[in-house]
Amino acid sequence: MIFDTTGTYFYRISQINEHQEQVIYDPAIYYLTVDVYYDSNHTLATSVIAYKDGSVEKTENIHFSNSYQLTGSQQHIDKTKTQYTTQMQSYWFLCISAFILLVILVIAYRRKENG
């Protein structure tokens, strides 16, 4: 937000529920008070206070926790992806381990050859 005039500004912050299928929106509402004033350097400065709806304590963070629910077929796809990813990770771990072992054997062989 950009301010060009001193004063006190009030804002209500919430999410717009777009009614998307399977999306659960966080219904939290935050109220902000922004004081705009001139500081000692004669430049505009701000002071912000935020409260979560229903709370009398100030909050430092404005955070919305949304979630997404998968349907049955999508859950199966995700499990398959996870299994495939785990198999690929195992494969790459095995390849890297074999390469490191090969390097160690080559170094040991050269040391033996050089005396």
Side-chain angles (χ1 to χ4, degrees):
M1 293 183 268
I2 299 173
F3 299 96
D4 57 2
T5 307
T6 60
T8 302
Y9 301 86
F10 301 95
Y11 296 93
R12 178 183 180 266
I13 299 175
S14 64
Q15 295 188 89
I16 295 174
N17 186 339
E18 296 178 351
H19 302 288
Q20 294 182 14
E21 287 186 35
Q22 303 163 328
V23 176
I24 299 170
Y25 291 91
D26 185 344
I29 299 172
Y30 292 89
Y31 295 95
L32 271 68
T33 302
V34 180
D35 286 317
V36 181
Y37 58 93
Y38 284 105
D39 63 9
S40 59
N41 295 326
H42 303 290
T43 58
L44 284 175
T46 59
S47 170
V48 179
I49 300 172
Y51 295 95
K52 189 170 182 177
D53 190 26
S55 176
V56 293
E57 295 182 24
K58 297 175 188 176
T59 183
E60 295 291 322
N61 298 314
I62 295 175
H63 178 76
F64 296 100
S65 298
N66 297 331
S67 59
Y68 183 79
Q69 293 180 335
L70 298 176
T71 60
S73 62
Q74 289 173 324
Q75 288 176 353
H76 178 70
I77 291 170
D78 287 345
K79 288 179 183 177
T80 304
K81 279 184 175 180
T82 302
Q83 182 180 7
Y84 175 76
T85 302
T86 304
Q87 289 173 347
M88 288 301 294
Q89 288 172 345
S90 298
Y91 171 76
W92 284 108
F93 178 76
L94 180 63
C95 289
I96 291 170
S97 298
F99 178 74
I100 291 171
L101 180 61
L102 181 63
V103 169
I104 291 171
L105 289 174
V106 167
I107 291 171
Y109 178 77
R110 287 186 179 173
R111 283 187 181 172
K112 185 178 177 184
E113 288 286 317
N114 293 334

